[in-house]
Amino acid sequence: MKYTLLLFWATILLHSSISAQSATISVTGEVAHPLQLSAADIAAMKKVTVQATDRDGKAHSYTGVPVADILQRAGVTMGAQLRGENMSKYLLIKSGDGYEVLFSLPELDAAFTDRVVILASQVDGQPLPEGKGPFRIVVPGEKKPARWIWEVTAMTVRFAKE
């Protein structure tokens, strides 16, 4: 029984590791450089840690890549260039189960806000649990975590007016 349980947990950990390693996130749309980011690409990027309260009111420490850094890598209009018609651009983020959330670009740009929205890969120093990862958007300071989309698969930048 003891060995069966050990084998069961080893299988789950291996499956989680394989799915995390094979995860990719596409960054497309109104970008200069479309991206297909692997887990290794994301792991190599600069990380930050933010404190945020989950749906149950519990405070957690989330670690991940600022979404703005991913957008800059893709050549999205940010900073001083984010003005005029570019102010109507938005980011649509999709999950593996079809859920979608929306952010205006100024909500993600350090020139407009002090809040750092991240693509998290860890919570409280551990990988995100199965079914919530391998990557999740975390939005510190929002009263409801409705935009805390998990199992992120795609980011698309578009114009609101076309």
Side-chain angles (χ1 to χ4, degrees), residues 141-158:
E142 285 197 329
K143 292 182 179 182
K144 291 185 175 188
R147 295 194 296 176
W148 289 32
I149 187 171
W150 58 68
E151 296 182 351
V152 174
T153 60
M155 299 181 177
T156 306
V157 177
R158 294 187 180 144

Side-chain angles (χ1 to χ4, degrees), residues 6-154:
L6 182 61
L7 182 59
F8 171 74
W9 284 112
T11 303
I12 287 178
L13 288 174
L14 179 61
H15 174 69
S16 296
S17 175
I18 290 170
S19 63
Q21 291 172 354
S22 64
T24 60
I25 298 174
S26 64
V27 183
T28 60
E30 294 293 326
V31 301
H33 315 287
L35 302 174
Q36 192 69 24
L37 297 171
S38 68
D41 295 330
I42 294 166
M45 295 178 77
K46 177 190 84 171
K47 305 285 184 307
V48 297
T49 299
V50 298
Q51 306 300 315
T53 304
D54 68 12
R55 183 177 309 277
D56 298 326
K58 295 179 184 171
H60 293 282
S61 215
Y62 292 91
T63 302
V65 177
V67 172
D69 289 0
I70 295 169
L71 297 178
Q72 286 176 337
R73 181 180 273 199
V76 174
T77 306
M78 303 285 281
Q81 306 309 312
L82 189 52
R83 63 182 192 277
E85 72 175 7
N86 287 322
M87 290 295 287
S88 69
K89 288 182 181 175
Y90 63 91
L91 176 66
L92 181 69
I93 302 177
K94 298 179 184 182
S95 76
D97 68 359
Y99 190 66
E100 298 177 336
V101 297
L102 183 95
F103 293 89
S104 68
L105 289 189
E107 287 183 278
L108 304 167
D109 191 327
F112 289 86
T113 183
D114 291 329
R115 176 171 61 188
V116 179
V117 176
I118 68 168
L119 178 69
S121 57
Q122 293 186 339
V123 59
D124 299 327
Q126 299 296 316
L128 293 170
E130 179 124 5
K132 301 287 184 190
F135 303 108
R136 177 181 196 177
I137 294 295
V138 174
V139 188
E142 285 197 329
K143 292 182 179 182
K144 291 185 175 188
R147 295 194 296 176
W148 289 32
I149 187 171
W150 58 68
E151 296 182 351
V152 174
T153 60

